[in-house]
Every structure is written in C-alpha cells, then in structure tokens.
Amino acid sequence: MLILIFAMLMELTFYKYQGTGNDFVMIDNRQQIFDKNNTKLVAKLCNRRFGIGADGLILLENHPKWDFKMVYFNADGNESSMCGNGGRCLTAFAKFLGIIENKAIFEAIDGLHHAILDNHVVKLQMQDVLSVEIHNQHVFLNTGSPHHVQMETQLKNLDVKELGSKIRYGNPYKDEGTNVNFVKKLSDNRFQVRTYERGVEDETLSCGTGVTAVALAMYETGETKNKLIVLETEGGNLQVSFEKNKDTYNNIWLIGPAEQVFKGSITC
Ligand SMILES: N[C@H](CCC[C@H](N)C(=O)O)C(=O)O
C-alpha cells in the first residue's frame, strides 16, 4: 500500500522565469506528464507560501506544425486567456531547451504568435485588435486578455488591489471579470502603469497584455500620436509598437526582458 502511495507522488522538474516582475512556473510538458485538469495542484504550485510561488504556470507542449504550444494557467489554478509576459518567457524557455534558435512561431489560446529573441530581450507579436471601446472614464479592449484601462493623476499611493478588485467583480464585468490597468501619462510616448490581474486577484508587477492594451488605448484616445510607446511598470520597462490600418491595430509587438530565475524540483 505504501508503495502505491509513493507511486502516486511525482517528482516534478520546473523552471522559474520572470518578465519585468511578472513571474511564472514553467514546465516542459512535451511528454504530457502534467495533469492539466488538476486545478488544485496548479494553485498550490503558484502559492507563494505553500508552493513555488508565481503569478501563473505555463506548460510548453509539442505542436504538430509550429515550434511549440503554450498552455497558460493563472495563479488561481484555472486555465486562462493569453499572457503576453508569459509568451515572452516561454520563448526564452524554448531557446534554453534547444527547441528554437532566435525565432519562434507558437500556438497559444488566442492563436499564433511570432517571437524574436535578441539576447535577453524578447519581442512577441500580439494578435490584431479590431475593437477599442471608449467609455466616459475608461477604455475597454481585448489584447489576448480583457483589459479595463483608466487614467489616474497619481499612481504612487493608489490601492490597486482594493480599487482593481471592485472594478473586476463589478458591472459590467461580473464573473467573467477583466484585468484592470491604472495609467499616468509621463510624456508623449511614456506612461506609468499599475495592473490588477484577474486570476491572480492582486496587483502584479507588470502585465504584458495589459501594457499592450494601455498603449493602444492611449493612441485611440489621442493621449499619444506615437506608435512606439514605453510603459513603465513596477517591475521594469516594456515597449509596445503597433500600426493602425483603418479600424484595426496590427503588427503589434510587446518588447522586453525575460529571464530564467532558477530550476527546481518538487514532489507533488
Ligand atoms: N491574468 C490574465 C492572463 C495573464 C495576463 C498577464 N500576465 C500578461 O502578461 O498578459 C487574465 O486572466 O486575463
């Protein structure tokens, strides 16, 4: 019986990556060893006290046609929508594993993504954005994940968790929820951003689809005329470049560092 119990336990090798402070447990799941339906396990691995600790968990899997497949889980254990910083970190992980050189095409939940590595900087092409909703006090758009964007005069003392969760759980978002980005304009092409992330249910040090949403929202509302924007986040600077053709934003690139923090193993 004891042997059976031990057999049930698994020694899991993982890697920890971070992209401007948005951090992830990375697992090479090309052999399909990880149980994707085990929400409790994902949440435990992401728990900063009882597990490894991360904003999310990402599986790298084989793909029949493209370099690899990305499967993303929020820290709450649920599979979720696209993670921009996670996609950048996964590209760096794929290079570390020898799967790619300095370019990648991979499939994520929102479709195909091209990525280019230049040392520790990863450029990730995001999906085109066809709809930017301008409301009285905020902008809403989906850049692979849903984002509420609102301007604030001061970000330093803002209670991002308090205000962000009220918006995320309130109307019109309710259970589906949204990520929430608070923005302060620094100059014509620079904005400071703090983000409350759905599925982490707290502020994260940066959010890739979030800063992408902010860049497009600032252009759409006339806060900038630039198409290469610097976003200063709590975890570091990211850049977003894009083009606008008629009502569509395309050729959108999220640019920033991605780093392996450590390798480990855990019995679970
Ligand atoms: N929490 C997001 C997904 C991760 C987004 C963020 N980590 C990024 O870099 O885009 C959501 O559930 O919509």
Side-chain angles (χ1 to χ4, degrees):
M1 184 61 180
L2 204 54
I3 294 167
L4 181 64
I5 292 169
F6 277 117
M8 298 288 277
L9 294 174
M10 177 177 73
E11 178 82 4
L12 181 72
T13 298
F14 68 87
Y15 294 81
K16 191 74 198 292
Y17 274 75
Q18 65 85 13
T20 51
N22 207 189
D23 63 338
F24 309 98
V25 174
M26 294 284 191
I27 294 167
D28 176 358
N29 198 38
R30 287 177 288 176
Q31 305 308 318
Q32 293 287 326
I33 50 153
F34 193 85
D35 177 1
K36 282 183 261 201
N37 299 310
N38 193 336
T39 306
K40 282 202 175 108
L41 174 60
V42 175
K44 177 170 184 266
L45 293 173
C46 291
N47 187 293
R48 296 192 187 279
R49 296 287 184 278
F50 297 103
I52 302 159
D55 292 331
L57 182 145
I58 306 177
L59 303 179
L60 185 150
E61 299 191 336
N62 282 324
H63 192 285
K65 183 175 179 184
W66 306 111
D67 293 314
F68 51 87
K69 181 182 178 186
M70 171 181 182
V71 184
Y72 179 77
F73 300 85
N74 275 320
D76 63 6
N78 296 312
E79 188 175 348
S80 191
S81 42
M82 181 56 186
C83 177
N85 285 330
R88 297 190 305 98
C89 288
L90 193 65
T91 301
F93 185 41
K95 166 133 190 193
F96 168 79
L97 294 174
I99 297 170
I100 60 167
E101 278 301 317
N102 292 313
K103 285 190 177 179
I105 302 177
F106 66 90
E107 183 178 14
I109 194 164
D110 65 341
L112 287 186
H113 290 266
H114 291 247
I116 301 165
L117 275 142
D118 177 6
N119 290 319
H120 289 292
V121 174
V122 183
K123 289 179 65 172
L124 178 69
Q125 187 171 23
M126 308 301 280
Q127 295 300 324
D128 292 355
V129 172
L130 283 65
S131 159
V132 180
E133 297 172 17
I134 299 181
H135 299 264
N136 286 340
Q137 299 298 319
H138 74 278
V139 178
F140 179 78
L141 62 164
N142 190 308
T143 51
S145 285
H147 287 278
H148 170 111
V149 178
Q150 70 182 50
M151 303 294 287
E152 295 290 340
T153 50
Q154 275 312 321
L155 292 182
K156 192 167 180 301
N157 300 318
L158 194 70
D159 187 340
V160 168
K161 182 169 183 177
E162 170 72 22
L163 189 50
S165 60
K166 277 207 178 83
I167 295 167
R168 173 259 192 272
Y169 284 106
N171 285 325
Y173 307 115
K174 294 208 173 99
D175 294 344
E176 177 73 17
T178 182
N179 302 283
V180 184
N181 303 273
F182 302 102
V183 190
K184 181 184 176 185
K185 183 170 183 175
L186 302 175
S187 73
D188 272 356
N189 72 333
R190 283 180 93 90
F191 296 85
Q192 186 186 355
V193 185
R194 292 182 68 184
T195 303
Y196 173 95
E197 262 200 58
R198 173 183 73 167
V200 180
E201 306 310 344
D202 202 343
E203 180 176 8
T204 56
L205 296 185
S206 77
C207 176
T209 52
V211 296
T212 304
V214 168
L216 301 187
M218 294 302 101
Y219 185 87
E220 187 73 9
T221 56
E223 290 290 341
T224 183
K225 294 195 182 334
N226 291 278
K227 293 178 183 158
L228 172 60
I229 314 276
V230 176
L231 295 308
E232 296 187 7
T233 75
E234 298 295 289
N237 290 355
L238 287 162
Q239 290 181 298
V240 174
S241 65
F242 57 88
E243 291 170 11
K244 183 163 188 197
N245 293 290
K246 296 197 178 82
D247 292 338
T248 300
Y249 286 92
N250 58 13
N251 201 21
I252 304 168
W253 291 86
L254 169 65
I255 306 159
E259 183 188 273
Q260 186 180 119
V261 183
F262 64 89
K263 174 186 179 182
S265 64
I266 186 168
T267 304
C268 49

